[in-house]
Amino acid sequence: MGREAQSARLSQVLDGLERGRGAVVEMAGEPGAGKTQLACWLAEQAGRGGLPVIWARAPRSGEGPFLVFRDAAGRTGAAEGSDPADPAAWYELIRQRAAGGVLLVDELHRADPSSLELALRLIRSVSSSAPSSSPSSPSPFVLVLAHRPRQSPPALLEALDLGVRTAGIVRVEAGPLEVAAVAVLLDRWRRPVAVGAYGAGAPDAAMPPAHALPGGSGASAAVLHAASKGLPGYLRLLVAAGFDAGLWPDRAGGDEVSLLREAAPLLAELGALSGPARAAARAAAVLGGTFRPADVARIAGLGARDGLAACAELVRADLVRPAGHGRRLAFRHPVVGQVAHADCELPFLLDAHRQALRMAAERGAPAVERARHAEHLVDTDGAAAARVLAEGAAETVTRAPAIAARWLRLALDALPARGREVEERAAWELAHCRALIASGRIREARALAHDLLAGGGPRPADPGPAGQPGDGGARLTPRLLLRAYAVCADAERLLCRYEEAEAIARTGMALLPRPLPAVLSPEATELIYEYGLVHVLRGTHDRIRPLLREAARARTEAGPSASAALGVLIAFCDVFCGDIARGAPEVTRCAALVDALPDGVAGHTPDVLALLGCAELYLERFPDARRHLQRGLDAATGGAQKHIRAHQLLGLTMIDQWAGRLDGAERRAAEAEELARAVGAPDVVTLATAMRAMTLVWARGRRYGGEAVALAARAVDVAALGRGWWATSAISLLAHAQLLGGDATGCMRTLRDGGGGDGLPQVQPAFRPSLLALMATAALAGGDAVGAERLLADAEADAGRLGLPLQWACVHRAGAQLRSARGEHSGALELFERAAEAFRGGGLPVQHAWTLIAAAPATAVVRGPGAALDVLARAESMARSCGAALAVEEAERVRARLSAGTRPALGPHPSAGPRVADLWSALSEREREVADLAAAGLRSRQIAERLFLSHRTVDSHLGSAYRKLGVSSRTALARALGPAVPG
């Protein structure tokens, strides 16, 4: 899988052998790259062709000469009566046994000296031989040498490089797999594989792991691809361990038993080391990350000189490699160290981690580093280890919340639930909830937060209308109680339970004095911010704006990130509500504040970059929006903030769609949908699905339009109408897709039902002009010019209040279509051109092309057909560069109508004779489709591109139509279908 180029090259080598030409094939690659797998594939192909296959493999230990070739020779000596150590005898025997077939030598980098010399002699012989027809000449064979270049002796590397340069050796490199190949592998590993499927002689490591696999979507494959570096051997280890992106690279997953079972070849590498080197490998595994040889020696109990020698042996074995500066080392891949750690005995681990923790404390290492050792000591060192874990969790929660959640759980289990630790424990429990939320385990966090508010007793049912979720949290101080309400409301909001979230947050807000104090505590600031977010997602921005402004006038003790977050939330509400005059300068001011924050500080309020990017998107500041959304996305690594990552992906999806990056938009929407499903946020799933459907309409054209609209409709059906921002946004996308698919009535119905009526009072005001213009276009398509005019008047009034160029462009385009319908072509063309120029200036090429296509008929009337065809050519070129198949199809359709008149699609002209009409009905649907386009003047290539057919298939359908209609050319076909109707 993913080795198509390599397998094609190997097939050529086998073909050459059948023609009497031998070859030397070098298979080079990193450990875990799949060299043995590729060799097994070659052996299977050779066996199917009737060619003999001989395996040779360098053992990890043993005595005597020619160890690599003992099995290949079939005996321990070279020949009867000869010296078992005679190189010439071994050379002749191996050539005789391999003659006419394939000799596969695996792991050649660890060959003994005599085996290496024999291999070099075989290389020189096979690579320099030419085909011969002489019966006395030795039969050629294929010599395949698999090795790791980092560990191979210089003489072997020199001989192979010389052979490659002189074209005497075929080099096949097993590099990293592509993401797509990893995705297919993951899917394939879900299905059982029969024993022997990889061919006789294949090592056990060729079989796929039997562990349950993570989701096989593109996003999961991309994460596993990055973690494994695209190398299938490491991929198999990660899957066997039950890979958890939130824990990586600290650990692969939680199944160490399966990891060790799958790691048998790697354990054999470790077992082949000397005693001191094995001790050093275990010590290095305890230290983790990058480590210093001196620290390794200390933990392994080796002296300085012996420790350096042991580390040097690990480097020679390519188990560890130099890392960074200061002569630090690291395992060649993190999972190698994790296998070494999992293979250690428990007593050694406890002593080693205790010593490593002491060493880290002596040099003042960060709490994160100390916590990695403390987590192994909670059962022995209790409360002390728990406090180190809590400190480490606070440091890493932004970057790796899943690790923080695990450390806090261990700390809570080790800390007594009585005495002076009660308040400390409550703070840790709230921090644990926050870490769970950030790692995507929102339902678990919600349950714990409710337990905490209930005072630690049995959790009550979901809060009622009053929002009282328990007895007020008897264990919590007043400040921690405010934080508990904020955390609980946050979990409910992220699960799209907005009524419950608002009720809980409102209950917590009742504990704050009103008016608000001049100085807000961090807990009060957090609760107010959360209350505001709940209203944003409910779509009730106006209710919260006065409170947010009052909070902004106070000074907060929470620091600059909290102040910036509150400012961004206020600015977002202003822009969303259409108050551009107030919101636009605030967005500019907040952007400067956020840009000045380091990533680590900004990460403590993860919503802020998503909110800021969306506010800039509403203001049509697309470069700024992309910058902030991408910054937030880049910061959300290691499984952090899956819910916020989904929001950022949706914003980037919209920008990509508008900017004509349709492939990127489809990929981002699919990833956002997957993340939203993972965290259990149905409204986010709805919007992500609708965005993906809209992208598919543009990218795949009318042929797939119905399927895409159905996808969006199913998503919207799940969401209750009028539920807030998510639902109304998804509904507007569905309406767009319906109109593009030709369903004007469905578009009108969707917008009226989801937007609260003709005036669309429930949609976001910042987008209302474009949606009213969309309704006007749909009304016009349905023949209701009066209704279209009324909707356009409302759209113009709203656009005038906003003053946003792209909203005006949508209104101008709809107005131009109305004028065209009235026959006011000059006025229509002027509006079309104003709209097209706005879309061009805003960087929206698909909308620019779509507007030019819509303007072509008016251009033909005002400036002539030639000018209209030029406009269509520009639009089609632009659409093709974006992959917008729908716009390309529309340009071809309009061009055909302008060139041949307005002919009804898929049928003969009404004036055609009865015989032709009868014959027309005898054509298949595809034949009628092809014939109609051919009669309109399209060439076979154009028809093939429009209908997604091959050129040959089009000619076949056209020939069949000719025969059934009794015609022999496109001209005769056009005459048979009747005269074109003047446009």
Side-chain angles (χ1 to χ4, degrees):
M1 178 52 55
R3 303 294 189 201
E4 290 78 10
Q6 293 91 336
S7 58
R9 190 73 184 91
L10 294 173
S11 295
Q12 292 175 352
V13 170
L14 293 180
D15 291 342
L17 182 61
E18 292 179 355
R19 294 192 296 270
R21 179 179 291 277
V24 177
V25 178
E26 177 196 8
M27 281 188 183
E30 284 276 300
K35 300 180 295 298
T36 302
Q37 196 94 338
L38 200 55
C40 290
W41 179 89
L42 177 62
E44 185 178 358
Q45 300 305 306
R48 287 177 179 176
L51 300 173
V53 177
I54 301 175
W55 280 87
R57 186 181 179 90
R60 298 190 184 278
S61 60
E63 296 182 359
F66 306 108
L67 293 174
V68 173
F69 296 97
R70 289 287 177 88
D71 290 339
R75 53 182 292 123
T76 59
E80 187 69 29
S82 64
D83 183 358
D86 181 11
W90 274 91
Y91 171 74
E92 291 300 330
L93 178 59
I94 294 300
R95 281 186 60 86
Q96 290 171 15
R97 296 222 52 200
V102 178
L103 173 59
L104 289 157
V105 184
D106 200 10
E107 306 285 0
L108 185 58
H109 52 275
R110 60 172 187 248
D112 59 276
S114 55
S115 295
L116 177 62
E117 182 57 38
L118 177 54
L120 293 175
R121 187 170 180 179
L122 290 170
I123 290 171
R124 290 191 295 269
S125 172
V126 178
S127 62
S128 61
S129 63
S132 174
S133 58
S134 172
S136 60
S137 299
S139 299
F141 64 95
V142 172
L143 174 64
V144 181
L145 306 171
H147 72 114
R148 301 177 184 177
R150 279 178 175 267
Q151 296 173 255
S152 295
L156 176 62
L157 296 176
E158 181 183 14
L160 292 172
D161 286 342
L162 178 62
V164 170
R165 287 197 300 271
T166 59
I169 293 178
V170 176
R171 174 170 287 166
V172 176
E173 296 195 54
L177 298 175
E178 298 292 334
V179 176
V182 169
V184 176
L185 267 179
L186 294 177
D187 182 63
R188 190 173 283 183
W189 287 350
R190 284 185 180 82
R191 302 189 296 270
V193 178
V195 175
Y198 291 87
D204 292 341
M207 296 299 294
H211 195 279
L213 293 165
S217 70
S220 299
V223 172
L224 273 164
H225 176 269
S228 65
K229 301 181 181 179
L231 300 176
Y234 297 141
L235 179 68
R236 296 163 57 80
L237 292 174
L238 298 181
V239 169
F243 180 73
D244 187 338
L247 303 179
W248 183 257
D250 280 12
R251 61 174 59 186
D255 194 343
E256 287 191 347
V257 173
S258 295
L259 174 63
L260 290 175
R261 186 183 305 120
E262 186 64 31
L266 181 54
L267 291 173
E269 280 190 70
L270 293 166
L273 297 169
S274 67
R278 285 198 301 272
R282 290 194 298 267
V286 166
L287 289 169
T290 64
F291 45 84
R292 298 181 301 177
D295 294 340
V296 170
R298 185 173 170 185
I299 291 179
L302 302 171
R305 182 179 295 275
D306 290 341
L308 288 174
C311 288
E313 182 179 343
L314 294 179
V315 172
R316 287 195 301 273
D318 198 30
L319 287 163
V320 304
R321 296 173 180 175
H325 302 289
R327 297 184 179 180
R328 298 180 74 88
L329 301 173
F331 283 98
R332 71 184 183 221
H333 189 276
V335 78
V336 176
Q338 292 159 25
V339 168
H341 189 279
D343 192 44
C344 292
E345 300 85 357
L346 183 59
F348 167 80
L349 284 179
L350 290 176
D351 289 341
H353 278 292
R354 187 175 290 109
Q355 188 174 3
L357 177 59
R358 187 164 53 249
M359 291 164 54
E362 287 171 359
R363 67 169 184 272
V368 171
E369 182 180 340
R370 290 183 281 119
R372 290 194 180 100
H373 303 298
E375 72 170 299
H376 296 277
L377 305 174
V378 288
D379 292 331
T380 57
D381 295 343
R387 289 186 171 84
V388 175
L389 289 169
E391 290 177 34
E395 282 188 8
T396 197
V397 67
T398 301
R399 181 190 63 82
I403 294 174
R406 186 178 82 244
W407 286 348
L408 285 164
R409 183 69 269 160
L410 290 171
L412 287 166
D413 290 344
L415 191 70
R418 60 185 183 278
R420 63 183 181 85
E421 288 88 359
V422 170
E423 183 177 344
E424 184 177 30
R425 182 182 181 84
W428 289 3
E429 285 176 334
L430 287 169
H432 184 219
C433 290
R434 279 292 185 204
L436 289 172
I437 289 173
S439 61
R441 295 156 62 183
I442 302 174
R443 293 187 184 279
E444 187 177 346
R446 174 189 178 274
L448 291 174
H450 275 277
D451 277 343
L452 198 56
L453 279 174
R459 186 169 70 256
D462 289 340
Q468 296 287 352
D471 63 1
R475 293 182 298 159
L476 301 173
T477 64
R479 295 180 69 151
L480 287 179
L481 184 58
L482 293 178
R483 175 159 292 169
Y485 277 113
V487 170
C488 196
D490 191 25
E492 299 285 9
R493 171 181 63 85
L494 292 171
L495 292 170
C496 304
R497 298 161 57 95
Y498 304 123
E499 291 78 9
E500 292 87 343
E502 194 274 339
I504 290 171
R506 180 165 29 90
T507 302
M509 289 295 299
L511 302 176
L512 294 177
R514 298 301 305 275
L516 294 174
V519 179
L520 293 173
S521 67
E523 294 79 11
T525 305
E526 181 182 1
L527 179 59
I528 293 168
Y529 180 75
E530 182 55 48
Y531 194 39
L533 279 178
V534 171
H535 279 283
V536 164
L537 273 299
R538 289 192 75 186
T540 52
H541 302 64
D542 280 332
R543 290 193 211 167
I544 198 63
R545 289 166 76 192
L547 175 65
L548 293 177
R549 294 197 183 283
E550 183 184 356
R553 288 191 293 270
R555 182 172 64 83
T556 177
E557 297 174 337
S561 62
S563 297
L566 203 56
V568 168
L569 184 58
I570 295 169
F572 178 86
C573 290
D574 289 340
V575 172
F576 185 95
C577 294
D579 191 353
I580 304 301
R582 173 181 278 179
E586 275 300 297
V587 169
T588 302
R589 185 185 70 83
C590 290
L593 291 175
V594 172
D595 287 343
L597 294 175
D599 286 341
V601 176
H604 285 290
T605 48
D607 305 84
V608 68
L609 288 165
L611 283 172
L612 179 58
C614 288
E616 290 167 329
L617 192 151
Y618 287 151
L619 290 172
E620 301 174 2
R621 301 176 182 177
F622 301 130
D624 289 337
R626 171 177 286 279
R627 180 166 57 87
H628 289 122
L629 290 169
Q630 189 63 52
R631 183 187 178 195
L633 197 64
D634 293 341
T637 58
Q641 308 294 351
K642 293 178 182 178
H643 49 290
I644 304 301
R645 184 178 176 87
H647 301 176
Q648 290 155 341
L649 284 167
L650 290 178
L652 289 168
T653 297
M654 185 171 291
I655 294 172
D656 280 346
Q657 190 183 103
W658 287 345
R661 294 183 284 265
L662 298 180
D663 287 345
E666 184 178 348
R667 175 178 52 79
R668 291 185 193 275
E671 185 178 352
E673 186 177 346
E674 179 191 359
L675 286 171
R677 290 187 192 281
V679 301
D683 286 4
V684 188
V685 173
T686 294
L687 182 54
T689 306
M691 281 190 173
R692 183 162 62 89
M694 185 67 179
T695 304
L696 290 173
V697 171
W698 282 114
R700 301 191 183 181
R702 285 197 173 87
R703 187 178 181 189
Y704 296 93
E707 178 184 338
V709 170
L711 176 67
R714 286 196 299 272
V716 170
D717 284 345
V718 174
L721 296 181
R723 284 193 68 184
W725 183 80
W726 299 109
T728 53
S729 298
I731 286 162
S732 68
L733 289 167
L734 172 59
H736 271 283
Q738 287 172 318
L739 184 59
L740 290 174
D743 184 6
T745 302
C747 171
M748 290 287 289
R749 182 176 58 252
T750 296
L751 284 174
R752 280 202 181 101
D753 291 346
D758 280 343
L760 304 182
Q762 293 181 1
V763 305
Q764 48 268 54
F767 281 172
R768 188 176 292 144
S770 60
L771 294 177
L772 288 169
L774 184 71
M775 286 186 77
T777 303
L780 191 61
D784 184 7
V786 174
E789 187 172 3
R790 184 178 65 253
L791 288 164
L792 267 174
D794 291 342
E796 289 171 352
D798 279 352
R801 284 190 289 271
L802 293 175
L804 297 173
L806 297 180
Q807 291 296 305
W808 263 120
C810 294
V811 175
H812 287 326
R813 184 170 60 192
Q817 290 167 325
L818 179 60
R819 291 196 180 190
S820 287
R822 292 173 174 170
E824 302 170 8
H825 299 295
S826 295
L829 185 57
E830 180 184 350
L831 286 177
F832 273 131
E833 290 177 341
R834 288 172 64 183
E837 180 59 25
F839 286 129
R840 186 198 65 79
L844 277 64
V846 176
Q847 292 299 324
H848 184 198
W850 193 252
T851 306
L852 292 177
I853 295 167
T859 305
V861 173
V862 176
R863 297 175 184 162
L869 292 175
D870 287 344
V871 166
L872 286 173
R874 286 168 48 208
E876 185 175 355
S877 175
M878 199 180 311
R880 285 188 187 280
S881 68
C882 297
L886 180 66
V888 173
E889 291 174 5
E890 184 66 10
E892 291 177 347
R893 187 187 71 82
V894 173
R895 181 184 294 109
R897 292 172 67 86
L898 291 176
S899 300
T902 54
R903 179 185 311 282
L906 302 180
H909 190 268
S911 64
R915 177 178 174 275
V916 173
D918 291 341
L919 290 173
W920 181 269
S921 64
L923 301 182
S924 70
E925 180 179 352
R926 181 63 84 187
E927 288 168 351
R928 291 197 297 270
E929 200 173 15
V930 170
D932 188 73
L933 293 173
L938 271 67
R939 297 176 179 238
S940 293
R941 177 186 59 79
Q942 294 170 311
I943 297 172
E945 289 176 351
R946 176 167 178 178
L947 299 181
F948 298 91
L949 300 174
S950 69
H951 188 285
R952 183 177 300 175
T953 302
V954 169
D955 286 342
S956 175
H957 286 310
L958 198 55
S960 179
Y962 284 172
R963 290 191 298 273
K964 292 180 181 179
L965 294 174
V967 298
S968 59
S969 68
R970 280 175 164 80
T971 303
L973 179 64
R975 284 198 301 269
L977 298 183
V981 178

